[in-house]
Amino acid sequence: MAPPPSPLAFIPFVSVENMMRLVHHFGIEAVLRELTDAIEADYLRWSRFEKAPRLASHSQEGVIELMPTSDGDAYAFKYVNGHPSNTAKGLQTVAAFGLLARVDTGYPLLLTEMTLLTALRTAATSAMVARRLAAADARVMAMIGNGAQAEFQAIAMKAIVGIEEVRLYDIDPAATRKAARNLEGSGIKVVACETSQDAIEGAQIITTCTADKAYATILSDNMVGSGIHINAIGGDCPGKTELHRDILDRATTFVEFEPQTRIEGEIQQMDASYPVTEFWKVLSGEVEGRTDPRQITLFDSVGFAIEDFSALRYLLGKLEGTEFFQQLDIIADPDDPRDLFGMLQRAA
Ligand SMILES: NC(=O)c1ccc[n+]([C@@H]2O[C@H](COP(=O)([O-])OP(=O)(O)OC[C@H]3O[C@@H](n4cnc5c(N)ncnc54)[C@H](O)[C@@H]3O)[C@@H](O)[C@H]2O)c1
């Protein structure tokens, strides 16, 4: 009979069920606000992090990506996919899980679902950027693409940027109906639109959040008036964009980590000399954000590992004193660290 695992074997694990309980316990707007601040705090420590474009494995149907980073004390990675045709099979376009570890021993600190956490951190990142770059009086957002990410984006923009009205459009009216229903009672005025032109009417922020494995034109140049902030999150893979390149010619473009965005973002359409600003420089004061009320600002978002690192560390902090996790014995822990085989043998 094998001895029970020692306490050193156990790592907290947050299941989807516990993630949902945690979000309801603390409240989604509070979680999004705190997550935004956690990501911003890490963006302000930008130079401390190891940074590399994520490792992507492409296939006909989609992509599977590993997103690692470390600040020297903690190490994190996320496993995430992007399969636009998945929803037709009853599967999600984006599903993820991730791990946080200690750098000094290499032992994990946390294993968690990250499908919900990715939606939360993507919305928090969008809001972190919009609160610096969008017009200060922005109250209306167009939301083009009403799938899994949509409601998270809307609620973050309400909680952090002060958006009061969200105008929804999706090529599939069922997605728009779903998002409108889910946002009932959120305190956001929701307008379901039949065209993207209708959705952008009066909006100071346009979020594009569609999934297609193609160079799509979700927004064309004539749709984007002066002063708009575009939060473009759906174009995040080689061969997958949402904006007509003429918009990029008129916009001032901000990115997460330039080497990754050159490969994956809207700017893959432009040549290598197209100017971009890494957003952390706006936070640190090195570069000005919006400099003119008529300027078009574009956040060419693809999702970067530091945002997941921040989300994992934030989550670990929130677990303290709660029951929103299970202990999994992930790490083999023999009495004598060198007697791994003996531990196996004694379990026979
Ligand atoms: N930047 C980031 O950090 C980040 C994070 C998560 C997801 N994403 C990306 O965001 C996109 C959306 O993710 P999701 O999980 O919401 O996907 P989803 O499949 O749940 O929803 C996508 C929606 O877009 C709609 N759509 C497709 N083409 C459209 C068009 N031409 N006009 C209007 N609507 C259209 C679909 O009908 C669907 O409802 C994906 O491409 C995903 O890879 C980016």
Side-chain angles (χ1 to χ4, degrees):
M1 173 67 175
S6 88
L8 291 176
F10 289 106
I11 306 301
F13 166 67
V14 181
S15 63
V16 174
E17 188 186 348
N18 271 323
M19 184 67 78
M20 295 194 293
R21 288 172 63 209
L22 181 140
V23 171
H24 284 298
H25 178 78
F26 292 107
I28 188 163
E29 289 199 22
V31 166
L32 283 165
R33 268 194 294 268
E34 290 172 359
L35 199 45
T36 303
D37 291 343
I39 297 169
E40 192 166 282
D42 282 338
Y43 264 57
L44 284 165
R45 305 191 298 135
W46 192 260
S47 65
R48 288 280 307 274
F49 286 92
E50 284 178 0
K51 295 174 281 294
R54 58 187 158 196
L55 199 60
S57 171
H58 295 282
S59 62
Q60 195 97 38
E61 296 80 15
V63 64
I64 295 176
E65 296 164 327
L66 285 179
M67 302 173 68
T69 188
S70 165
D71 69 351
D73 293 324
Y75 172 94
F77 77 82
K78 180 170 84 173
Y79 168 104
V80 63
N81 75 313
H83 285 68
S85 55
N86 264 8
T87 48
K89 303 173 194 153
L91 304 172
Q92 290 187 91
T93 298
V94 175
F97 66 89
L99 181 137
L100 186 71
R102 300 171 63 116
V103 165
D104 58 356
T105 61
Y107 267 41
L109 289 163
L110 173 68
L111 175 69
T112 178
E113 86 80 42
M114 286 192 82
T115 305
L116 284 160
L117 196 54
T118 292
L120 291 162
R121 78 81 157 119
T122 303
T125 303
S126 292
M128 167 184 77
V129 173
R131 82 172 158 191
R132 304 282 166 172
L133 297 184
D137 61 353
R139 294 293 171 266
V140 180
M141 176 168 83
M143 181 82 231
I144 303 182
N146 303 156
Q149 312 298 318
E151 299 88 338
F152 296 87
Q153 289 282 325
I155 293 168
M157 290 294 189
K158 171 191 178 251
I160 291 124
V161 183
I163 286 300
E164 294 167 357
E165 176 177 333
V166 171
R167 303 176 66 81
L168 301 171
Y169 171 71
D170 195 293
I171 39 169
D172 181 355
T176 301
R177 282 197 298 275
K178 174 249 7 172
R181 196 171 56 239
N182 287 342
L183 289 170
E184 267 170 30
S186 66
I188 303 169
K189 178 183 173 196
V190 176
V191 181
C193 301
E194 284 179 9
T195 63
S196 46
Q197 278 80 3
D198 188 12
I200 62 173
E201 198 61 46
Q204 296 89 23
I205 299 177
I206 303 176
T207 292
T208 55
C209 188
T210 65
D212 199 349
K213 213 170 160 28
Y215 294 110
T217 304
I218 306 303
L219 285 184
S220 53
D221 191 34
N222 61 352
M223 292 167 74
V224 181
S226 64
I228 297 285
H229 174 67
I230 305 171
N231 173 43
I233 70 168
D236 59 356
C237 248
K240 178 165 171 255
T241 57
E242 295 181 306
L243 308 184
H244 193 282
R245 57 171 289 150
D246 289 354
I247 297 172
L248 297 165
D249 279 327
R250 287 165 62 215
T252 310
T253 300
F254 299 83
V255 299
E256 291 147 311
F257 176 55
E258 183 177 345
Q260 182 178 311
T261 312
R262 291 266 174 215
I263 300 166
E264 301 178 351
E266 297 300 323
I267 59 169
Q268 66 185 276
Q269 304 179 70
M270 312 306 276
D271 66 41
S273 61
Y274 177 80
V276 299
T277 299
E278 288 189 338
F279 180 71
W280 68 271
K281 292 185 183 170
V282 175
L283 290 176
S284 71
E286 209 169 299
V287 175
E288 271 188 283
R290 173 173 289 277
T291 52
D292 185 320
R294 286 163 308 160
Q295 187 179 21
I296 296 167
T297 52
L298 164 63
F299 177 38
D300 184 1
S301 163
V302 292
F304 187 50
I306 293 176
E307 295 144 21
D308 299 308
F309 176 100
S310 312
L312 286 162
R313 280 225 324 199
Y314 168 73
L315 175 62
L316 185 62
K318 286 312 256 187
L319 292 183
E320 235 169 84
T322 75
E323 291 173 349
F324 303 135
F325 62 94
Q326 296 150 256
Q327 297 281 16
L328 292 189
D329 66 324
I330 298 179
I331 297 296
D333 182 43
D335 298 339
D336 169 355
R338 288 173 300 187
D339 194 17
L340 184 64
F341 187 80
M343 185 183 90
L344 171 67
Q345 212 167 32
R346 284 189 293 278

